[in-house]
Amino acid sequence: MEALQIEMDPLVENQVKQNLKLVRPDQEWFVYYGKLYLFYVDAYKSLEICYDQLLHPQKRRLLKKMLENTMLRQIQIKQAMIFYSTQGNVIRSDFVNLHQVIFDEKRLIEDAEVTLPHYFSDEQNRKLAYRKQMLNHFLNEFHDTTQPEEEVLVDKAVLENIEQAIWFIQKNERGRQGIERVLLAKQLKKQDLKKQEKQKKLQEGLEVHDSTEREEAITTIQKYYRGFKAREIVWDIREQESLFLGFTLEKPLQETDAYKTYHLQREKMKEKQQERLQEYKTALVEARDNLMNDWQDDIQNQMLAERRRWYMSEVQKAEGKLVPPKVAQFYKKDQVRLPLTEEEQEMMDLLDKEKKAAKKNKGKKKKKKKQEDEDIRVEQGPTEAIVKMQDLIEKHNQEWRNDQLNPYQKHENSLLKGEIAKGVEKQIREVVDEMIDMELINLRIALKAKKMKYPKKKKSKKKKAKPAAKAEEDDLLEEGEINFGFRSVAKKKKKKFPGDKGTAKKDPRDMLAELIESGIAKKLEPAKISDLIGNCNPLRQKQEMLQEQVADPSIYDLRQVLVQFIGMPLGSPYIKDNVKESNYVLFYGPHGSGKTHAVRALQTECDALILDLSPANIENKYQDKPDYLLSLAFKTAACFQPAIIYIDEIERIFKGKKKKKKGDQQPSSAGGMNWVKLRKYLLKYGKYFTEKQKENVTIIGCSYAPWNANKKQLKSFFKRRVYFPCPNYATRIMIFQRFFEQRKIQLHPNFPLSSLAHATEGFTAGNIKEALRKILTERRLILSAEIPYRISEFVDPLAVQQSTFLQQYQEFRKLHDDLSGNKARIDKLKKPADDEKGKKKPGKKKK
């Protein structure tokens, strides 16, 4: 309730300043929304835990609505923070910097981190269960396996040209021989120096025996050994101190008894939740049948009498010459338009004047200007989500105020009648309306009368109200045939797309089977968003103030964007209907930066279907029918949602007009897919999932060389662009530590892990993982207890990995600056407002 009260502050302030617009500096609004965001994050975490562990089925339905509204408001506040983040050189970036607000509120960075709710992957309605069953059946039938497809890592160090490979071998062999000669020369020189020192001592009259050399060697060994033992003791003291203070755990979290006990209890709780839900469904069916048996005749007779009185009065007014056409007019009989007040009349006059002015200016040709910032409007004060949350809280307090007499958390029979009454009444009303329509037809024939003509209302151009999501209704339906189709729109689309003729009469199940047979619909290896290792960048605020280019986002910020702007809309139909720019997303970054891992994590945590339209996967499939392939994929995704259409190496499809360079992979249509046609059709499918028809489908394109693509086409097709950077120094240390922990490797306290992190500057997590896979073989893991790891073992495997060089990194930075829109916004701010000298007035060109 504290967050709801804070939401009312702008409205209260606006009411105090009568007839004045609410004006605050951007920084004040940013701080205001930042504090509000932290409140909603706390509320979301609490609600998510309650919903995950609660047994009561009726309370869980109410909590789910509250949870979804909290997630929606959280995203809306994040968008408002993006709008008001205008401090420094980075303006309106998706990666919001909340460090100062968190510090002022005396919080930790971890307190503001949000994860996807468990119910996205845990709860499955009948459609998702049926889809999973079909997917496993067709995978087993066509590919003889139901296991997810393993990710194939391409070794970039392998050379295809034999001559080049021989040249590299010769070069390395010559280098090795040179190194051996240098080492031999050093050894000989060392021996000569020893002889010279011995002769010098003999000339000075000193006695030189083998025992003196032995004593010097023993002293040197003792010196190094004592230093080693002293450092080891200090290391043990540090470990004990950090363990005592709680900075480290005695065991990894996954191996502790408390962690295992929690998961066992959670599994038992989930089983009990299913039992309570089944009992609730059975009670709903019984209550509905009882209500229909007891009250159906009374309700039906009452409705019939009411409608008969209505049409008889209408016929009497028309003296038996006219009869109402249908019973639909009965529901419009009470719609009387009240006279407008003076204020409403003034508003209507102003709107009419604006419409007339707009019509006059409609024919004039104007230059098209990009108004990205001006079109953004931040809704201040209580929004629709806030009003819904207040209603849900009041409903919860009214219905569950005295809930201490239900220790087993079973459903309340007293509330069942109210839950099913509307459904029963609707069912009876449909039957009654059909009967009245037949009576009207018979009456018209008997009186030989005409249909009454009612005044038609002008069709308003306003958007129709969005139908509510039917996720909860699907859970409570009885077992029966599953209807496939679009979620939000019952009718088919009027707009035609390429390939619709070939898929018009196809059953969705046949389309899914065809895509599985061709290897497009598949399972990817499970993953989690939390596996993207990395913390926030504490120096980011300083970097944004000093440099003009956008600073690299931290992995922490990247996880938040994936969760809030992609994962939550994909997993919840209600959030999808209220969040813009979540259908078409571009991931770009160097090889191994986590783009494919993010797709796998979204598939796992949102329980989504994967359709792989990557060029490497479709190159020799549907070569002459790219339009049919796209129609097949998009329609299947819409029918079996939530779904992800995954397109890797998007630069091969959206190819830019550049000169061919050596080493670049250029697409070719000879003997394979016609990429030009595919690009043409794919651009048309950029409007397939519009705002009017929002499906739980996300199209994700990935690119490791986006500068080879057409930037204009990328911007027009992908509404949201997410940059996956190389990890920084601190993140690389965390990556090495995580890999060693997963393999249960205990490194020596003196192992120079920081040196490895420094040496891997420009390496991605995928490069590091591939190098460690070659080092940490089964044989080496067995010998690790006897032979400690040395840093020299890591040098050669890391040296052959492909890294991001400085020139390539700068290209990524420039592209990120361009695609994020920061460059255009800063140029606009730097340009004086009254600078009109360079502009030409619009007019006809002189011939």
Side-chain angles (χ1 to χ4, degrees):
M1 294 300 290
E2 188 177 359
L4 297 179
Q5 185 59 40
I6 292 174
E7 289 269 45
M8 301 295 290
D9 286 347
L11 185 65
V12 173
E13 188 175 341
N14 196 17
Q15 288 173 351
V16 172
K17 300 178 180 180
Q18 294 176 355
N19 298 323
L20 292 174
K21 289 185 178 179
L22 182 61
V23 178
R24 287 185 187 179
D26 285 355
Q27 181 61 19
E28 285 187 21
W29 276 117
F30 182 82
V31 173
Y32 164 77
Y33 279 113
K35 293 178 180 178
L36 198 59
Y37 176 77
L38 294 177
F39 278 120
Y40 274 102
V41 168
D42 293 340
Y44 164 72
K45 289 180 179 179
S46 302
L47 284 171
E48 205 277 324
I49 293 169
C50 289
Y51 181 75
D52 187 56
Q53 298 182 1
L54 193 64
L55 291 177
H56 202 295
Q58 290 162 312
K59 280 187 182 179
R60 293 187 85 242
R61 292 184 66 189
L62 192 67
L63 271 179
K64 186 176 181 181
K65 292 179 182 177
M66 294 173 67
L67 184 60
E68 287 186 335
N69 278 286
T70 306
M71 287 191 285
L72 174 61
R73 188 57 188 148
Q74 189 185 119
I75 295 169
Q76 289 173 347
I77 293 170
K78 192 73 171 282
Q79 289 173 339
M81 289 162 60
I82 291 170
F83 179 77
Y84 287 115
S85 61
T86 56
Q87 303 299 312
N89 293 325
V90 181
I91 299 171
R92 290 175 183 165
S93 171
D94 285 350
F95 305 100
V96 178
N97 189 354
L98 266 175
H99 294 175
Q100 190 60 42
V101 178
I102 292 170
F103 179 77
D104 293 341
E105 291 293 308
K106 299 179 181 179
R107 302 282 197 97
L108 296 174
I109 293 292
E110 291 77 12
D111 295 342
E113 185 165 8
V114 179
T115 58
L116 287 174
H118 290 94
Y119 79 87
F120 278 7
S121 56
D122 290 346
E123 292 184 5
Q124 287 190 345
N125 55 24
R126 292 188 305 112
K127 282 187 179 181
L128 290 178
Y130 186 63
R131 186 195 72 184
K132 187 176 182 181
Q133 183 182 355
M134 277 198 300
L135 188 63
N136 289 333
H137 171 71
F138 289 132
L139 280 171
N140 193 27
E141 182 179 349
F142 296 124
H143 302 289
D144 297 328
T145 182
T146 58
Q147 297 301 316
E149 183 179 332
E150 294 183 5
E151 187 179 1
V152 179
L153 297 171
V154 181
D155 194 349
K156 301 294 178 182
V158 177
L159 299 171
E160 297 179 0
N161 192 347
I162 298 174
E163 294 179 358
Q164 193 177 7
I166 292 170
W167 180 79
F168 271 111
I169 291 169
Q170 289 175 344
K171 180 181 176 182
N172 282 286
E173 180 61 25
R174 291 188 190 117
R176 187 191 67 79
Q177 291 176 4
I179 291 167
E180 288 291 334
R181 284 195 291 269
V182 170
L183 290 174
L184 182 62
K186 281 185 177 180
Q187 191 175 0
L188 293 172
K189 189 176 181 180
K190 194 174 181 182
Q191 290 175 1
D192 291 340
L193 287 172
K194 281 185 178 181
K195 287 179 181 179
Q196 289 175 9
E197 286 178 5
K198 195 173 183 179
Q199 289 175 1
K200 190 177 180 180
K201 287 180 181 180
L202 289 171
Q203 288 174 1
E204 290 175 356
L206 298 172
E207 294 183 1
V208 180
H209 302 286
D210 292 338
S211 59
T212 56
E213 292 182 357
R214 186 180 176 187
E215 287 175 1
E216 288 178 2
I218 291 169
T219 306
T220 305
I221 291 170
Q222 287 178 346
K223 174 183 166 184
Y224 279 101
Y225 182 73
R226 285 172 182 166
F228 166 73
K229 291 301 289 182
R231 286 190 294 273
E232 197 173 35
I233 291 167
V234 171
W235 179 267
D236 290 338
I237 292 170
R238 284 180 180 175
E239 286 292 313
Q240 291 173 8
E241 187 178 1
S242 62
L243 188 64
F244 174 74
L245 295 173
F247 295 156
T248 58
L249 296 173
E250 192 172 354
K251 294 180 181 178
L253 183 64
Q254 289 78 6
E255 295 180 8
T256 55
D257 295 335
Y259 187 83
K260 293 176 182 177
T261 306
Y262 164 74
H263 275 275
L264 287 172
Q265 289 179 349
R266 188 171 179 274
E267 288 176 5
K268 291 178 181 178
M269 190 71 71
K270 288 296 171 188
E271 291 175 1
K272 288 182 180 179
Q273 282 178 358
Q274 290 300 318
E275 290 175 8
R276 298 289 187 274
L277 185 61
Q278 284 301 123
E279 292 173 2
Y280 175 53
K281 287 181 179 180
T282 307
L284 273 176
V285 174
E286 291 177 0
R288 186 182 64 181
D289 293 342
N290 293 335
L291 190 63
M292 291 288 285
N293 293 332
D294 296 340
W295 297 98
Q296 182 178 8
D297 295 337
D298 294 340
I299 295 171
Q300 187 171 335
N301 292 334
Q302 185 181 354
M303 287 183 176
L304 282 169
E306 190 178 1
R307 283 153 181 75
R308 282 168 181 162
R309 283 196 299 270
W310 163 74
Y311 75 69
M312 287 306 295
S313 65
E314 292 287 320
V315 171
Q316 287 175 3
K317 287 177 185 178
E319 298 178 356
K321 295 179 180 179
L322 298 173
V323 177
K326 284 189 176 181
V327 75
Q329 298 299 327
F330 169 77
Y331 300 103
K332 300 177 183 178
K333 64 184 177 64
D334 296 328
Q335 292 180 0
V336 180
R337 189 171 180 180
L338 298 173
L340 297 175
T341 61
E342 293 180 1
E343 295 177 356
E344 290 175 343
Q345 189 62 44
E346 289 177 3
M347 289 295 296
M348 291 296 292
D349 293 340
L350 285 172
L351 289 172
D352 291 338
K353 286 180 182 179
E354 288 178 2
K355 285 180 182 179
K356 288 178 182 178
K359 284 181 180 178
K360 287 181 182 179
N361 299 328
K362 193 174 181 181
K364 296 179 182 180
K365 292 184 179 179
K366 296 180 180 180
K367 283 189 174 182
K368 293 182 180 179
K369 297 180 181 180
K370 295 182 180 179
Q371 296 181 345
E372 295 179 359
D373 299 343
E374 288 78 4
D375 292 339
I376 300 173
R377 295 288 180 270
V378 176
E379 193 173 355
Q380 294 162 355
T383 61
E384 186 181 352
I386 296 297
V387 175
K388 284 184 179 179
M389 273 193 284
Q390 285 179 331
D391 295 340
L392 291 168
I393 290 169
E394 289 176 4
K395 185 180 178 182
H396 179 273
N397 293 338
Q398 289 173 2
E399 292 182 353
W400 313 108
R401 185 172 294 173
N402 300 319
D403 193 38
Q404 298 175 358
L405 303 176
N406 190 5
Y408 295 104
Q409 292 295 294
K410 293 187 177 182
H411 61 271
E412 293 287 344
N413 292 319
S414 58
L415 298 174
L416 291 177
K417 187 177 178 180
E419 292 175 5
I420 62 174
K422 289 183 180 179
V424 170
E425 186 180 350
K426 183 181 177 183
Q427 188 176 351
I428 296 172
R429 192 192 308 125
E430 289 174 357
V431 176
V432 169
D433 288 349
E434 289 179 5
M435 294 170 67
I436 294 295
D437 283 337
M438 290 301 298
E439 288 182 11
L440 289 172
I441 293 169
N442 294 332
L443 183 62
R444 200 180 306 121
I445 294 169
L447 297 176
K448 297 181 181 179
K450 295 180 180 180
K451 293 180 181 179
M452 284 186 180
K453 291 183 179 180
Y454 290 87
K456 293 182 179 179
K457 291 185 178 180
K458 292 182 180 180
K459 293 182 179 179
S460 60
K461 294 183 180 179
K462 294 181 181 179
K463 293 182 181 179
K464 294 181 180 179
K466 297 174 184 176
K470 297 182 180 179
E472 293 183 5
E473 293 178 11
D474 290 342
D475 292 338
L476 301 176
L477 289 174
E478 296 179 14
E479 294 297 326
E481 187 178 357
I482 296 174
N483 296 319
F484 294 97
F486 298 113
R487 173 177 62 83
S488 56
V489 177
K491 295 181 180 180
K492 292 183 180 179
K493 290 186 176 182
K494 292 181 180 179
K495 190 173 180 180
K496 293 182 180 179
F497 287 89
D500 279 350
K501 289 183 179 179
T503 58
K505 297 181 180 179
K506 283 207 166 191
D507 189 272
R509 287 163 282 198
D510 296 335
M511 291 193 287
L512 180 62
E514 186 175 345
L515 289 173
I516 292 171
E517 185 179 9
S518 57
I520 292 171
K522 58 176 69 172
K523 282 184 183 180
L524 298 181
E525 288 183 338
K528 292 182 179 179
I529 293 177
S530 58
D531 291 338
L532 290 168
I533 307 164
N535 280 335
C536 63
N537 180 13
L539 300 175
R540 185 177 155 205
Q541 189 172 5
K542 196 70 175 176
Q543 291 171 349
E544 289 176 353
M545 297 296 291
L546 295 176
Q547 62 188 22
E548 290 187 3
Q549 284 186 329
V550 181
D552 285 348
S554 63
I555 305 298
Y556 169 87
D557 297 325
L558 191 62
R559 289 197 301 266
Q560 296 309 290
V561 170
L562 290 174
V563 167
Q564 292 176 327
F565 293 123
I566 303 172
M568 286 182 177
L570 181 62
S572 171
Y574 175 72
I575 297 174
K576 188 76 168 184
D577 289 342
N578 293 279
V579 175
K580 294 181 179 180
E581 299 179 356
S582 58
N583 283 102
Y584 298 85
V585 186
L586 174 67
F587 293 167
Y588 61 98
H591 274 295
S593 55
K595 301 183 292 295
T596 305
H597 180 93
V599 175
R600 287 166 43 207
L602 289 169
Q603 173 217 357
T604 305
E605 297 194 26
C606 297
D607 198 12
L609 175 69
I610 289 287
L611 301 177
D612 188 0
L613 295 182
S614 303
N617 192 37
I618 63 171
E619 194 161 9
N620 296 317
K621 302 165 187 175
Y622 302 98
Q623 298 173 9
D624 302 328
K625 299 184 289 183
D627 54 342
Y628 172 74
L629 170 63
L630 292 176
S631 178
L632 202 66
F634 276 73
K635 283 188 176 180
T636 305
C639 292
F640 295 98
Q641 52 190 297
I644 296 172
I645 297 177
Y646 170 55
I647 310 175
D648 198 8
E649 296 182 354
I650 196 72
E651 67 274 2
R652 293 185 63 187
I653 298 175
F654 292 103
K655 182 186 172 185
K657 294 180 180 180
K658 290 185 178 181
K659 293 181 181 179
K660 192 173 180 180
K661 297 179 182 179
K662 291 182 180 179
D664 285 350
Q665 294 181 353
Q666 301 292 345
S668 62
S669 58
M673 177 66 72
N674 191 329
W675 303 114
V676 178
K677 276 189 178 181
L678 184 67
R679 178 175 67 243
K680 178 183 173 183
Y681 295 139
L682 189 60
L683 286 170
K684 291 182 179 179
Y685 273 91
K687 296 180 180 178
Y688 192 82
F689 299 114
T690 58
E691 291 182 10
K692 293 180 181 178
Q693 180 173 334
K694 287 189 175 181
E695 307 294 336
N696 283 70
V697 180
T698 303
I699 295 87
I700 300 178
C702 296
S703 176
Y704 68 90
W707 48 81
N708 290 336
N710 189 318
K711 291 182 188 176
K712 187 177 179 182
Q713 291 176 349
L714 281 182
K715 286 182 179 180
S716 65
F717 189 78
F718 296 105
K719 307 303 179 187
R720 187 176 296 279
R721 281 85 64 178
V722 183
Y723 176 41
F724 284 71
C726 292
N728 56 17
Y729 168 75
T731 304
R732 291 196 298 274
I733 287 183
M734 292 178 67
I735 289 170
F736 278 112
Q737 288 174 343
R738 176 69 67 86
F739 283 141
F740 289 133
E741 285 175 7
Q742 287 176 349
R743 295 297 186 96
K744 297 181 180 179
I745 295 171
Q746 195 74 22
L747 291 175
H748 193 273
N750 293 329
F751 184 82
L753 197 60
S754 59
S755 300
L756 271 183
H758 276 298
T760 51
E761 178 76 31
F763 283 66
T764 60
N767 302 142
I768 295 170
K769 180 181 178 181
E770 181 61 18
L772 292 179
R773 187 180 63 82
K774 294 179 179 178
I775 299 164
L776 306 176
T777 58
E778 292 183 6
R779 176 177 171 78
R780 186 65 186 89
L781 290 172
I782 293 169
L783 296 174
S784 60
E786 301 175 1
I787 305 172
Y789 289 94
R790 295 172 297 174
I791 196 167
S792 58
E793 297 180 60
F794 296 84
V795 174
D796 290 342
L798 286 170
V800 298
Q801 288 298 315
Q802 186 183 24
S803 61
T804 305
F805 296 104
L806 181 61
Q807 184 180 359
Q808 196 176 13
Y809 171 70
Q810 288 174 349
E811 286 184 0
F812 271 118
R813 289 289 301 273
K814 288 178 183 177
L815 192 77
H816 177 46
D817 217 27
D818 187 13
L819 291 179
S820 63
N822 189 66
K823 184 181 177 184
R825 287 189 284 266
I826 287 193
D827 290 344
K828 189 175 181 181
L829 288 175
K830 284 183 177 179
K831 194 173 183 180
D834 56 348
D835 188 10
E836 302 287 341
K837 293 181 180 180
K839 293 184 179 180
K840 292 182 180 179
K841 293 183 179 179
K844 293 183 180 179
K845 294 182 180 179
K846 294 182 180 181
K847 294 182 180 179

